[in-house]
Amino acid sequence: MLTQQQLKQNVAQAAVDYVLPMLGPDVIVGIGSGSTADLFIDALAQYKDRFLGTVSSSERSTARLQGHGVNVFDLNDVSKVPVYVDGADEIDHGLHMLKGGGGALTREKIVASVADQFVCIVDESKLVDCMGAFALPVEVIPMAREVVARRLRALGGEPRLREGFVTDNGCIILDVAGLRITDPAALEAQVNNIPGVVTCGLFAISPATVALMSTQSGVVQLKPKGL
């Protein structure tokens, strides 16, 4: 029986194998954040001479990349990102994702938005029929904390401040429990439209292009249900 760490290592290597054909001397790779992304960074760094560099979605990932000697570019200086690789806290069969357990959701969403492909890397425990068992992270401007919390309660959620945590953008996180997310794109738009919200952790309006999922019998490739 493979441990969760072994499952993560397997899918990280599978993601490297997936992106290798895309690499070239002028290629910039988008990199997410989190424990599985860390393993992807470690595996990708072995090929750092085969691509120009990366754009990163968190200070944590930037430090890890630079520790491996991988170039990290400011997104403002990059015009093309063929692929973005990141994990998820939950993913459904439409490849809609719930992300932000590590607090980097806004930068993750920004970098993902410029990539031609979003490759989500997960282990099989993250695949769900309906998202919401994992509390939905919402990044909020500090002065709007209670205003946003009231609106989230009105949507049926139970927001709780992530104590002692500040995002790389200087904002706070409200983790919203108690949601059963049957229409993730609609909820994403609704939450994002609350004044004071920077963004929420739903990646549903723009879902993953493909998911690589690590299972006990190997890594499988998932595409949105119906395709």
Side-chain angles (χ1 to χ4, degrees), residues 182-199:
T182 57
D183 190 342
L187 184 62
E188 179 182 358
Q190 192 172 14
V191 174
N192 285 349
N193 280 333
I194 298 172
V197 169
V198 180
T199 197

Side-chain angles (χ1 to χ4, degrees), residues 15-16 18-19 22-23 26-33 36-38 40-41 44 51-58 61-62 65 70-75 78-87 99 107-121:
V16 170
Y18 185 91
V19 304
M22 306 179 196
L23 300 183
D26 299 320
V27 170
I28 302 288
V29 178
I31 304 286
S33 54
T36 310
D38 285 346
F40 173 72
I41 289 169
L44 183 67
F51 61 102
L52 183 60
T54 61
V55 287
S56 165
S57 66
S58 71
S61 291
T62 295
L65 286 159
V70 178
N71 294 322
V72 181
F73 292 87
D74 188 306
L75 186 61
V78 173
S79 59
K80 184 173 177 59
V81 178
V83 63
Y84 173 74
V85 179
D86 200 0
K99 295 172 46 58
R107 295 192 184 193
E108 289 170 350
K109 194 170 286 191
I110 292 169
V111 179
S113 74
V114 302
D116 295 336
Q117 289 191 53
F118 185 138
V119 179
C120 183
I121 51 175

